[in-house]
Amino acid sequence: MRAVLMGPPSAGKGTQAARLGTELKVPHISTGDMFRAAIAAGTELGRQARGFMEAGKLVPDEVTMGIVRERLAYEDAQSGFVLDGFPRTIPQAEGLSKILASQGVKLDAVVLIDVPEDELIRRATGRRICQECGRVYHVEWNPPPGDACECGGALVQRKDDSPETVTERLATYRAQTEPLRDYYSVEGSLAVVDGMGDPDEVHRRIVRVLGRCS
Ligand code: AP5
Ligand code: MG
């Protein structure tokens, strides 16, 4: 299965893509996670991405395409993948289809997780992440066992989850990523899934949609 999970900031892409990747035994590839790892490691890629991310803007297409091209060439991505947060612009979508065409394959499904804006803000501002294992919690809907993660790691808030930056990320999404809705609708590969309700419920909806695509 070669699937893309799209959706606005904090729609639940990471939560759903991680679970799908495990169930389908394909890698979960998140460009946001790759950029955050590069920032934490202090690499040149991290240096290039940091300012854009902290401002709620997109990292330039050529930088993003470079890391995705490299990642999709790994052995583990040859039989499938779940992409999370990529593509996010029309040039990225075109770049992805070129990469896949060069491998003689194409996307099976593009799933857009649809969540109303007030809920997105609640999900982003309530998110907490374990600094050790990366586990994602929500203070209200998926609370950690105490002040720390189950693994004992410290919980932190993502820098771009402040209300101001979330508003900026939403504006970026509307301007640059929402046009992909029409792009993939025309291609016939888009399925819109209601992202409200608990994560198990959303997961079941996505699995149902993917079942029709495989
Ligand atoms: P990225 O990391 O992709 O951020 P995002 O798209 O803004 O999405 P999030 O990771 O915030 O949310 P999510 O949809 O994964 O939701 P999650 O499952 O965590 O990108 C960050 C930045 O990197 C971008 O702003 C940009 O600068 C750069 N970047 C990344 N990709 C790029 C690209 N392709 N091109 C250019 N730049 C790029 O859930 C959120 C919270 O809600 C959690 O607390 C979770 O527990 C909770 N939750 C999840 N599901 C539910 C549910 N059903 N009910 C209640 N709570 C839920
Ligand atoms: Mg995410």
mmCIF file of all heavy atoms in Angstrom, residues 7-15 31-33 35-36 52-53 56-59 64 84-88 92 119 123 126-128 136-138 141-142 158 160-161 169 195 197-199 202, ligand 1:
data_model
loop_
_atom_site.group_PDB
_atom_site.id
_atom_site.type_symbol
_atom_site.label_atom_id
_atom_site.label_comp_id
_atom_site.label_asym_id
_atom_site.label_seq_id
_atom_site.Cartn_x
_atom_site.Cartn_y
_atom_site.Cartn_z
ATOM 1 N N GLY A 7 -3.992 16.508 5.649
ATOM 2 C CA GLY A 7 -4.933 17.151 6.555
ATOM 3 C C GLY A 7 -4.297 18.342 7.209
ATOM 4 O O GLY A 7 -3.064 18.481 7.204
ATOM 5 N N PRO A 8 -5.118 19.205 7.779
ATOM 6 C CA PRO A 8 -4.592 20.416 8.411
ATOM 7 C C PRO A 8 -3.743 20.093 9.642
ATOM 8 O O PRO A 8 -3.731 18.946 10.116
ATOM 9 C CB PRO A 8 -5.860 21.190 8.797
ATOM 10 C CG PRO A 8 -6.953 20.190 8.784
ATOM 11 C CD PRO A 8 -6.579 19.114 7.829
ATOM 12 N N PRO A 9 -3.039 21.091 10.165
ATOM 13 C CA PRO A 9 -2.220 20.880 11.364
ATOM 14 C C PRO A 9 -3.043 20.279 12.496
ATOM 15 O O PRO A 9 -4.143 20.758 12.781
ATOM 16 C CB PRO A 9 -1.753 22.299 11.743
ATOM 17 C CG PRO A 9 -2.063 23.180 10.599
ATOM 18 C CD PRO A 9 -2.984 22.482 9.684
ATOM 19 N N SER A 10 -2.514 19.236 13.102
ATOM 20 C CA SER A 10 -3.133 18.579 14.266
ATOM 21 C C SER A 10 -4.409 17.817 13.952
ATOM 22 O O SER A 10 -5.186 17.513 14.858
ATOM 23 C CB SER A 10 -3.424 19.574 15.391
ATOM 24 O OG SER A 10 -2.221 20.113 15.805
ATOM 25 N N ALA A 11 -4.620 17.484 12.691
ATOM 26 C CA ALA A 11 -5.824 16.727 12.336
ATOM 27 C C ALA A 11 -5.759 15.291 12.847
ATOM 28 O O ALA A 11 -6.772 14.602 12.922
ATOM 29 C CB ALA A 11 -5.995 16.726 10.827
ATOM 30 N N GLY A 12 -4.537 14.822 13.150
ATOM 31 C CA GLY A 12 -4.380 13.438 13.589
ATOM 32 C C GLY A 12 -3.603 12.606 12.580
ATOM 33 O O GLY A 12 -3.617 11.360 12.649
ATOM 34 N N LYS A 13 -2.899 13.250 11.671
ATOM 35 C CA LYS A 13 -2.141 12.516 10.633
ATOM 36 C C LYS A 13 -1.104 11.584 11.264
ATOM 37 O O LYS A 13 -1.005 10.410 10.916
ATOM 38 C CB LYS A 13 -1.403 13.499 9.694
ATOM 39 C CG LYS A 13 -2.309 14.482 8.980
ATOM 40 C CD LYS A 13 -1.530 15.389 8.044
ATOM 41 C CE LYS A 13 -0.571 16.351 8.732
ATOM 42 N NZ LYS A 13 -1.213 17.336 9.599
ATOM 43 N N GLY A 14 -0.320 12.134 12.192
ATOM 44 C CA GLY A 14 0.742 11.342 12.812
ATOM 45 C C GLY A 14 0.181 10.163 13.595
ATOM 46 O O GLY A 14 0.665 9.031 13.488
ATOM 47 N N THR A 15 -0.870 10.433 14.370
ATOM 48 C CA THR A 15 -1.510 9.378 15.178
ATOM 49 C C THR A 15 -1.973 8.240 14.272
ATOM 50 O O THR A 15 -1.705 7.058 14.534
ATOM 51 C CB THR A 15 -2.737 9.970 15.928
ATOM 52 O OG1 THR A 15 -2.289 11.069 16.725
ATOM 53 C CG2 THR A 15 -3.445 8.940 16.777
ATOM 54 N N THR A 31 7.471 14.033 7.077
ATOM 55 C CA THR A 31 8.490 15.062 6.803
ATOM 56 C C THR A 31 8.681 15.951 8.035
ATOM 57 O O THR A 31 9.806 16.340 8.343
ATOM 58 C CB THR A 31 8.102 15.897 5.562
ATOM 59 O OG1 THR A 31 6.699 16.145 5.575
ATOM 60 C CG2 THR A 31 8.473 15.167 4.286
ATOM 61 N N GLY A 32 7.589 16.233 8.760
ATOM 62 C CA GLY A 32 7.722 17.049 9.974
ATOM 63 C C GLY A 32 8.645 16.372 10.984
ATOM 64 O O GLY A 32 9.536 17.005 11.555
ATOM 65 N N ASP A 33 8.457 15.055 11.189
ATOM 66 C CA ASP A 33 9.323 14.317 12.133
ATOM 67 C C ASP A 33 10.771 14.320 11.642
ATOM 68 O O ASP A 33 11.709 14.430 12.444
ATOM 69 C CB ASP A 33 8.862 12.856 12.279
ATOM 70 C CG ASP A 33 7.566 12.727 13.076
ATOM 71 O OD1 ASP A 33 7.137 13.727 13.698
ATOM 72 O OD2 ASP A 33 6.971 11.623 13.073
ATOM 73 N N PHE A 35 12.247 16.618 9.833
ATOM 74 C CA PHE A 35 12.822 17.951 10.080
ATOM 75 C C PHE A 35 13.126 18.146 11.570
ATOM 76 O O PHE A 35 14.176 18.676 11.932
ATOM 77 C CB PHE A 35 11.867 19.057 9.600
ATOM 78 C CG PHE A 35 11.751 19.178 8.105
ATOM 79 C CD1 PHE A 35 10.511 19.331 7.496
ATOM 80 C CD2 PHE A 35 12.881 19.155 7.295
ATOM 81 C CE1 PHE A 35 10.392 19.444 6.115
ATOM 82 C CE2 PHE A 35 12.782 19.270 5.904
ATOM 83 C CZ PHE A 35 11.530 19.419 5.322
ATOM 84 N N ARG A 36 12.209 17.704 12.440
ATOM 85 C CA ARG A 36 12.450 17.870 13.887
ATOM 86 C C ARG A 36 13.670 17.057 14.326
ATOM 87 O O ARG A 36 14.467 17.513 15.148
ATOM 88 C CB ARG A 36 11.205 17.477 14.707
ATOM 89 C CG ARG A 36 10.170 18.594 14.758
ATOM 90 C CD ARG A 36 8.973 18.233 15.628
ATOM 91 N NE ARG A 36 8.149 17.202 15.022
ATOM 92 C CZ ARG A 36 7.213 17.436 14.097
ATOM 93 N NH1 ARG A 36 6.958 18.651 13.698
ATOM 94 N NH2 ARG A 36 6.517 16.444 13.577
ATOM 95 N N PHE A 52 11.646 28.304 9.215
ATOM 96 C CA PHE A 52 10.342 28.164 8.556
ATOM 97 C C PHE A 52 9.356 27.498 9.503
ATOM 98 O O PHE A 52 8.217 27.920 9.638
ATOM 99 C CB PHE A 52 10.478 27.316 7.279
ATOM 100 C CG PHE A 52 11.318 27.976 6.214
ATOM 101 C CD1 PHE A 52 12.623 27.564 5.980
ATOM 102 C CD2 PHE A 52 10.808 29.019 5.455
ATOM 103 C CE1 PHE A 52 13.398 28.172 5.008
ATOM 104 C CE2 PHE A 52 11.578 29.634 4.472
ATOM 105 C CZ PHE A 52 12.888 29.207 4.249
ATOM 106 N N MET A 53 9.795 26.446 10.172
ATOM 107 C CA MET A 53 8.894 25.702 11.048
ATOM 108 C C MET A 53 8.427 26.555 12.226
ATOM 109 O O MET A 53 7.254 26.564 12.573
ATOM 110 C CB MET A 53 9.576 24.432 11.554
ATOM 111 C CG MET A 53 9.811 23.441 10.436
ATOM 112 S SD MET A 53 10.732 22.017 10.962
ATOM 113 C CE MET A 53 9.484 21.060 11.798
ATOM 114 N N GLY A 56 5.744 28.837 11.296
ATOM 115 C CA GLY A 56 4.506 28.241 10.778
ATOM 116 C C GLY A 56 4.444 28.253 9.262
ATOM 117 O O GLY A 56 3.365 28.122 8.669
ATOM 118 N N LYS A 57 5.607 28.416 8.615
ATOM 119 C CA LYS A 57 5.669 28.426 7.139
ATOM 120 C C LYS A 57 6.180 27.072 6.644
ATOM 121 O O LYS A 57 6.763 26.307 7.417
ATOM 122 C CB LYS A 57 6.672 29.488 6.659
ATOM 123 C CG LYS A 57 6.444 30.859 7.224
ATOM 124 C CD LYS A 57 5.376 31.569 6.442
ATOM 125 C CE LYS A 57 5.245 33.011 6.872
ATOM 126 N NZ LYS A 57 3.892 33.522 6.689
ATOM 127 N N LEU A 58 6.058 26.854 5.342
ATOM 128 C CA LEU A 58 6.566 25.612 4.775
ATOM 129 C C LEU A 58 8.060 25.714 4.485
ATOM 130 O O LEU A 58 8.551 26.763 4.060
ATOM 131 C CB LEU A 58 5.844 25.269 3.470
ATOM 132 C CG LEU A 58 4.357 24.940 3.572
ATOM 133 C CD1 LEU A 58 3.829 24.481 2.221
ATOM 134 C CD2 LEU A 58 4.089 23.883 4.640
ATOM 135 N N VAL A 59 8.752 24.631 4.692
ATOM 136 C CA VAL A 59 10.153 24.511 4.290
ATOM 137 C C VAL A 59 10.144 24.507 2.747
ATOM 138 O O VAL A 59 9.233 23.926 2.142
ATOM 139 C CB VAL A 59 10.748 23.194 4.864
ATOM 140 C CG1 VAL A 59 12.175 22.990 4.390
ATOM 141 C CG2 VAL A 59 10.661 23.199 6.387
ATOM 142 N N THR A 64 12.542 19.978 0.826
ATOM 143 C CA THR A 64 11.635 18.889 1.208
ATOM 144 C C THR A 64 11.700 17.740 0.196
ATOM 145 O O THR A 64 11.779 16.561 0.580
ATOM 146 C CB THR A 64 10.198 19.433 1.320
ATOM 147 O OG1 THR A 64 10.220 20.561 2.190
ATOM 148 C CG2 THR A 64 9.250 18.385 1.858
ATOM 149 N N ASP A 84 3.058 11.073 5.677
ATOM 150 C CA ASP A 84 2.325 11.924 6.628
ATOM 151 C C ASP A 84 2.865 13.358 6.500
ATOM 152 O O ASP A 84 4.029 13.619 6.789
ATOM 153 C CB ASP A 84 2.553 11.313 8.031
ATOM 154 C CG ASP A 84 2.408 12.286 9.200
ATOM 155 O OD1 ASP A 84 1.946 13.425 9.007
ATOM 156 O OD2 ASP A 84 2.765 11.867 10.321
ATOM 157 N N GLY A 85 2.001 14.258 6.025
ATOM 158 C CA GLY A 85 2.421 15.663 5.911
ATOM 159 C C GLY A 85 3.220 15.951 4.659
ATOM 160 O O GLY A 85 3.832 17.011 4.550
ATOM 161 N N PHE A 86 3.213 15.072 3.730
ATOM 162 C CA PHE A 86 3.839 15.249 2.424
ATOM 163 C C PHE A 86 3.002 14.488 1.416
ATOM 164 O O PHE A 86 2.647 13.342 1.699
ATOM 165 C CB PHE A 86 5.279 14.708 2.400
ATOM 166 C CG PHE A 86 5.908 14.796 1.030
ATOM 167 C CD1 PHE A 86 6.649 15.904 0.673
ATOM 168 C CD2 PHE A 86 5.707 13.788 0.086
ATOM 169 C CE1 PHE A 86 7.193 16.012 -0.599
ATOM 170 C CE2 PHE A 86 6.242 13.896 -1.194
ATOM 171 C CZ PHE A 86 6.985 15.011 -1.526
ATOM 172 N N PRO A 87 2.683 15.045 0.235
ATOM 173 C CA PRO A 87 3.026 16.391 -0.224
ATOM 174 C C PRO A 87 2.143 17.465 0.407
ATOM 175 O O PRO A 87 1.055 17.176 0.894
ATOM 176 C CB PRO A 87 2.785 16.303 -1.732
ATOM 177 C CG PRO A 87 1.746 15.239 -1.899
ATOM 178 C CD PRO A 87 1.963 14.254 -0.793
ATOM 179 N N ARG A 88 2.630 18.681 0.348
ATOM 180 C CA ARG A 88 1.921 19.819 0.927
ATOM 181 C C ARG A 88 1.768 20.964 -0.054
ATOM 182 O O ARG A 88 1.212 21.998 0.315
ATOM 183 C CB ARG A 88 2.744 20.345 2.101
ATOM 184 C CG ARG A 88 2.229 19.959 3.456
ATOM 185 C CD ARG A 88 3.301 20.377 4.444
ATOM 186 N NE ARG A 88 2.746 20.729 5.706
ATOM 187 C CZ ARG A 88 2.809 19.950 6.779
ATOM 188 N NH1 ARG A 88 3.384 18.779 6.725
ATOM 189 N NH2 ARG A 88 2.311 20.361 7.909
ATOM 190 N N GLN A 92 5.208 19.679 -4.897
ATOM 191 C CA GLN A 92 5.602 18.453 -4.167
ATOM 192 C C GLN A 92 4.806 17.244 -4.687
ATOM 193 O O GLN A 92 5.346 16.150 -4.845
ATOM 194 C CB GLN A 92 5.371 18.613 -2.666
ATOM 195 C CG GLN A 92 6.350 19.568 -1.992
ATOM 196 C CD GLN A 92 6.127 19.676 -0.479
ATOM 197 O OE1 GLN A 92 5.438 18.859 0.128
ATOM 198 N NE2 GLN A 92 6.712 20.695 0.118
ATOM 199 N N GLU A 119 -11.525 22.643 16.707
ATOM 200 C CA GLU A 119 -11.002 21.381 17.247
ATOM 201 C C GLU A 119 -9.490 21.269 16.972
ATOM 202 O O GLU A 119 -8.720 20.780 17.817
ATOM 203 C CB GLU A 119 -11.761 20.207 16.608
ATOM 204 C CG GLU A 119 -11.191 18.832 16.895
ATOM 205 C CD GLU A 119 -11.551 18.277 18.272
ATOM 206 O OE1 GLU A 119 -12.327 18.933 18.996
ATOM 207 O OE2 GLU A 119 -11.045 17.184 18.599
ATOM 208 N N ARG A 123 -6.581 20.512 19.675
ATOM 209 C CA ARG A 123 -5.669 19.361 19.562
ATOM 210 C C ARG A 123 -4.208 19.803 19.591
ATOM 211 O O ARG A 123 -3.365 19.151 20.214
ATOM 212 C CB ARG A 123 -5.953 18.577 18.270
ATOM 213 C CG ARG A 123 -7.247 17.794 18.351
ATOM 214 C CD ARG A 123 -7.405 16.858 17.165
ATOM 215 N NE ARG A 123 -8.743 16.254 17.174
ATOM 216 C CZ ARG A 123 -9.182 15.395 16.281
ATOM 217 N NH1 ARG A 123 -8.409 15.030 15.272
ATOM 218 N NH2 ARG A 123 -10.400 14.892 16.366
ATOM 219 N N GLY A 126 -3.101 21.290 23.122
ATOM 220 C CA GLY A 126 -3.108 20.302 24.213
ATOM 221 C C GLY A 126 -2.121 19.162 24.000
ATOM 222 O O GLY A 126 -2.000 18.260 24.826
ATOM 223 N N ARG A 127 -1.411 19.187 22.885
ATOM 224 C CA ARG A 127 -0.487 18.071 22.581
ATOM 225 C C ARG A 127 0.760 18.152 23.460
ATOM 226 O O ARG A 127 1.319 19.217 23.699
ATOM 227 C CB ARG A 127 -0.086 18.128 21.112
ATOM 228 C CG ARG A 127 1.035 17.153 20.770
ATOM 229 C CD ARG A 127 1.246 16.989 19.289
ATOM 230 N NE ARG A 127 1.225 18.233 18.555
ATOM 231 C CZ ARG A 127 1.069 18.298 17.238
ATOM 232 N NH1 ARG A 127 0.900 17.209 16.545
ATOM 233 N NH2 ARG A 127 1.066 19.468 16.640
ATOM 234 N N ARG A 128 1.195 17.001 23.948
ATOM 235 C CA ARG A 128 2.468 16.897 24.681
ATOM 236 C C ARG A 128 3.221 15.710 24.103
ATOM 237 O O ARG A 128 2.618 14.694 23.773
ATOM 238 C CB ARG A 128 2.237 16.653 26.186
ATOM 239 C CG ARG A 128 1.516 17.772 26.912
ATOM 240 C CD ARG A 128 2.308 19.082 26.973
ATOM 241 N NE ARG A 128 1.566 20.137 27.688
ATOM 242 C CZ ARG A 128 0.694 20.959 27.122
ATOM 243 N NH1 ARG A 128 0.449 20.882 25.821
ATOM 244 N NH2 ARG A 128 0.054 21.867 27.847
ATOM 245 N N VAL A 136 3.096 10.525 21.621
ATOM 246 C CA VAL A 136 2.282 11.746 21.574
ATOM 247 C C VAL A 136 1.064 11.599 22.487
ATOM 248 O O VAL A 136 0.323 10.617 22.396
ATOM 249 C CB VAL A 136 1.810 12.022 20.120
ATOM 250 C CG1 VAL A 136 0.928 13.263 20.060
ATOM 251 C CG2 VAL A 136 3.019 12.180 19.204
ATOM 252 N N TYR A 137 0.872 12.582 23.366
ATOM 253 C CA TYR A 137 -0.302 12.595 24.257
ATOM 254 C C TYR A 137 -1.142 13.828 23.963
ATOM 255 O O TYR A 137 -0.709 14.740 23.254
ATOM 256 C CB TYR A 137 0.160 12.696 25.720
ATOM 257 C CG TYR A 137 0.887 11.487 26.242
ATOM 258 C CD1 TYR A 137 2.281 11.446 26.246
ATOM 259 C CD2 TYR A 137 0.194 10.396 26.751
ATOM 260 C CE1 TYR A 137 2.968 10.345 26.747
ATOM 261 C CE2 TYR A 137 0.876 9.293 27.252
ATOM 262 C CZ TYR A 137 2.256 9.272 27.246
ATOM 263 O OH TYR A 137 2.915 8.181 27.748
ATOM 264 N N HIS A 138 -2.332 13.827 24.549
ATOM 265 C CA HIS A 138 -3.114 15.061 24.583
ATOM 266 C C HIS A 138 -3.585 15.238 26.018
ATOM 267 O O HIS A 138 -4.081 14.279 26.622
ATOM 268 C CB HIS A 138 -4.311 14.993 23.618
ATOM 269 C CG HIS A 138 -5.001 16.310 23.503
ATOM 270 N ND1 HIS A 138 -5.882 16.772 24.445
ATOM 271 C CD2 HIS A 138 -4.874 17.295 22.583
ATOM 272 C CE1 HIS A 138 -6.293 17.987 24.095
ATOM 273 N NE2 HIS A 138 -5.700 18.318 22.965
ATOM 274 N N TRP A 141 -7.592 14.406 25.995
ATOM 275 C CA TRP A 141 -8.157 13.210 25.360
ATOM 276 C C TRP A 141 -7.289 11.975 25.436
ATOM 277 O O TRP A 141 -7.770 10.873 25.257
ATOM 278 C CB TRP A 141 -8.516 13.517 23.904
ATOM 279 C CG TRP A 141 -9.510 14.618 23.812
ATOM 280 C CD1 TRP A 141 -10.746 14.623 24.382
ATOM 281 C CD2 TRP A 141 -9.352 15.873 23.165
ATOM 282 N NE1 TRP A 141 -11.370 15.810 24.124
ATOM 283 C CE2 TRP A 141 -10.542 16.602 23.373
ATOM 284 C CE3 TRP A 141 -8.353 16.468 22.428
ATOM 285 C CZ2 TRP A 141 -10.732 17.879 22.875
ATOM 286 C CZ3 TRP A 141 -8.544 17.734 21.924
ATOM 287 C CH2 TRP A 141 -9.712 18.421 22.150
ATOM 288 N N ASN A 142 -6.004 12.198 25.659
ATOM 289 C CA ASN A 142 -5.109 11.038 25.734
ATOM 290 C C ASN A 142 -4.019 11.391 26.741
ATOM 291 O O ASN A 142 -2.859 11.539 26.388
ATOM 292 C CB ASN A 142 -4.540 10.781 24.327
ATOM 293 C CG ASN A 142 -3.571 9.628 24.301
ATOM 294 O OD1 ASN A 142 -3.588 8.767 25.175
ATOM 295 N ND2 ASN A 142 -2.695 9.619 23.307
ATOM 296 N N ARG A 158 5.475 21.108 21.557
ATOM 297 C CA ARG A 158 6.197 21.490 20.347
ATOM 298 C C ARG A 158 6.236 23.004 20.244
ATOM 299 O O ARG A 158 5.259 23.671 20.550
ATOM 300 C CB ARG A 158 5.477 20.889 19.125
ATOM 301 C CG ARG A 158 6.280 19.822 18.445
ATOM 302 C CD ARG A 158 5.504 19.064 17.415
ATOM 303 N NE ARG A 158 4.981 19.858 16.322
ATOM 304 C CZ ARG A 158 4.306 19.348 15.292
ATOM 305 N NH1 ARG A 158 4.094 18.049 15.238
ATOM 306 N NH2 ARG A 158 3.844 20.103 14.345
ATOM 307 N N ASP A 160 6.058 24.894 17.762
ATOM 308 C CA ASP A 160 5.081 25.489 16.842
ATOM 309 C C ASP A 160 3.638 25.222 17.273
ATOM 310 O O ASP A 160 2.706 25.465 16.521
ATOM 311 C CB ASP A 160 5.330 25.013 15.398
ATOM 312 C CG ASP A 160 5.239 23.498 15.223
ATOM 313 O OD1 ASP A 160 5.151 22.783 16.246
ATOM 314 O OD2 ASP A 160 5.249 23.027 14.076
ATOM 315 N N ASP A 161 3.430 24.747 18.507
ATOM 316 C CA ASP A 161 2.070 24.523 19.009
ATOM 317 C C ASP A 161 1.542 25.683 19.855
ATOM 318 O O ASP A 161 0.528 25.534 20.544
ATOM 319 C CB ASP A 161 2.006 23.205 19.811
ATOM 320 C CG ASP A 161 1.789 21.993 18.902
ATOM 321 O OD1 ASP A 161 1.415 22.184 17.725
ATOM 322 O OD2 ASP A 161 1.986 20.856 19.365
ATOM 323 N N ARG A 169 0.097 28.349 10.955
ATOM 324 C CA ARG A 169 0.162 27.061 10.238
ATOM 325 C C ARG A 169 -1.157 26.791 9.506
ATOM 326 O O ARG A 169 -1.176 26.261 8.403
ATOM 327 C CB ARG A 169 0.457 25.924 11.227
ATOM 328 C CG ARG A 169 1.933 25.880 11.640
ATOM 329 C CD ARG A 169 2.140 25.133 12.949
ATOM 330 N NE ARG A 169 1.750 23.744 12.913
ATOM 331 C CZ ARG A 169 1.439 23.023 13.989
ATOM 332 N NH1 ARG A 169 1.511 23.573 15.203
ATOM 333 N NH2 ARG A 169 1.089 21.766 13.873
ATOM 334 N N GLY A 195 -12.482 13.321 10.617
ATOM 335 C CA GLY A 195 -11.464 13.126 11.656
ATOM 336 C C GLY A 195 -11.971 13.369 13.064
ATOM 337 O O GLY A 195 -11.187 13.366 14.020
ATOM 338 N N GLY A 197 -14.190 12.412 16.505
ATOM 339 C CA GLY A 197 -14.428 11.145 17.201
ATOM 340 C C GLY A 197 -13.103 10.623 17.708
ATOM 341 O O GLY A 197 -12.053 11.224 17.441
ATOM 342 N N ASP A 198 -13.162 9.501 18.438
ATOM 343 C CA ASP A 198 -11.890 9.061 19.030
ATOM 344 C C ASP A 198 -10.990 8.415 17.973
ATOM 345 O O ASP A 198 -11.447 8.024 16.904
ATOM 346 C CB ASP A 198 -12.116 8.203 20.278
ATOM 347 C CG ASP A 198 -12.599 6.820 19.944
ATOM 348 O OD1 ASP A 198 -11.864 6.112 19.241
ATOM 349 O OD2 ASP A 198 -13.706 6.460 20.372
ATOM 350 N N PRO A 199 -9.685 8.340 18.269
ATOM 351 C CA PRO A 199 -8.737 7.852 17.267
ATOM 352 C C PRO A 199 -9.068 6.455 16.715
ATOM 353 O O PRO A 199 -8.827 6.192 15.539
ATOM 354 C CB PRO A 199 -7.396 7.845 18.029
ATOM 355 C CG PRO A 199 -7.551 8.914 19.064
ATOM 356 C CD PRO A 199 -8.993 8.861 19.472
ATOM 357 N N VAL A 202 -11.689 6.942 14.014
ATOM 358 C CA VAL A 202 -11.104 7.544 12.806
ATOM 359 C C VAL A 202 -10.290 6.474 12.068
ATOM 360 O O VAL A 202 -10.357 6.353 10.846
ATOM 361 C CB VAL A 202 -10.225 8.772 13.172
ATOM 362 C CG1 VAL A 202 -9.569 9.363 11.929
ATOM 363 C CG2 VAL A 202 -11.041 9.837 13.912
HETATM 364 P P1 AP5 B 1 4.134 18.469 10.745
HETATM 365 O O1 AP5 B 1 4.925 17.886 11.826
HETATM 366 O O2 AP5 B 1 3.694 17.626 9.628
HETATM 367 O O3 AP5 B 1 2.932 19.248 11.400
HETATM 368 P P2 AP5 B 1 1.398 19.465 10.959
HETATM 369 O O4 AP5 B 1 1.025 19.119 9.580
HETATM 370 O O5 AP5 B 1 1.110 20.851 11.371
HETATM 371 O O6 AP5 B 1 0.668 18.384 11.724
HETATM 372 P P3 AP5 B 1 0.899 17.967 13.218
HETATM 373 O O7 AP5 B 1 2.074 17.064 13.329
HETATM 374 O O8 AP5 B 1 0.834 19.181 14.065
HETATM 375 O O9 AP5 B 1 -0.438 17.184 13.528
HETATM 376 P P4 AP5 B 1 -0.926 15.748 13.103
HETATM 377 O O10 AP5 B 1 -1.950 15.900 12.023
HETATM 378 O O11 AP5 B 1 0.221 14.832 12.871
HETATM 379 O O12 AP5 B 1 -1.707 15.350 14.412
HETATM 380 P P5 AP5 B 1 -1.315 14.388 15.656
HETATM 381 O O13 AP5 B 1 -1.591 12.980 15.277
HETATM 382 O O14 AP5 B 1 0.011 14.722 16.190
HETATM 383 O O15 AP5 B 1 4.956 19.695 10.124
HETATM 384 C C1 AP5 B 1 5.545 20.654 10.974
HETATM 385 C C2 AP5 B 1 6.226 21.704 10.123
HETATM 386 O O16 AP5 B 1 7.288 21.086 9.347
HETATM 387 C C3 AP5 B 1 5.361 22.428 9.097
HETATM 388 O O17 AP5 B 1 4.657 23.508 9.677
HETATM 389 C C4 AP5 B 1 6.422 22.874 8.087
HETATM 390 O O18 AP5 B 1 7.132 23.997 8.569
HETATM 391 C C5 AP5 B 1 7.380 21.685 8.066
HETATM 392 N N1 AP5 B 1 6.982 20.682 7.061
HETATM 393 C C6 AP5 B 1 6.552 19.411 7.309
HETATM 394 N N2 AP5 B 1 6.270 18.783 6.162
HETATM 395 C C7 AP5 B 1 6.511 19.672 5.167
HETATM 396 C C8 AP5 B 1 6.369 19.616 3.765
HETATM 397 N N3 AP5 B 1 5.901 18.511 3.138
HETATM 398 N N4 AP5 B 1 6.703 20.722 3.055
HETATM 399 C C9 AP5 B 1 7.186 21.827 3.650
HETATM 400 N N5 AP5 B 1 7.320 21.954 4.983
HETATM 401 C C10 AP5 B 1 6.973 20.880 5.740
HETATM 402 O O19 AP5 B 1 -2.459 14.842 16.679
HETATM 403 C C11 AP5 B 1 -2.465 16.147 17.252
HETATM 404 C C12 AP5 B 1 -2.979 16.071 18.706
HETATM 405 O O20 AP5 B 1 -4.343 15.654 18.682
HETATM 406 C C13 AP5 B 1 -2.230 15.056 19.585
HETATM 407 O O21 AP5 B 1 -2.185 15.533 20.898
HETATM 408 C C14 AP5 B 1 -3.102 13.790 19.506
HETATM 409 O O22 AP5 B 1 -2.982 12.991 20.666
HETATM 410 C C15 AP5 B 1 -4.499 14.413 19.394
HETATM 411 N N6 AP5 B 1 -5.410 13.604 18.585
HETATM 412 C C16 AP5 B 1 -5.135 12.891 17.456
HETATM 413 N N7 AP5 B 1 -6.262 12.288 16.984
HETATM 414 C C17 AP5 B 1 -7.256 12.652 17.834
HETATM 415 C C18 AP5 B 1 -8.660 12.365 17.875
HETATM 416 N N8 AP5 B 1 -9.256 11.585 16.951
HETATM 417 N N9 AP5 B 1 -9.381 12.917 18.882
HETATM 418 C C19 AP5 B 1 -8.779 13.710 19.814
HETATM 419 N N10 AP5 B 1 -7.475 14.009 19.835
HETATM 420 C C20 AP5 B 1 -6.712 13.496 18.839
#
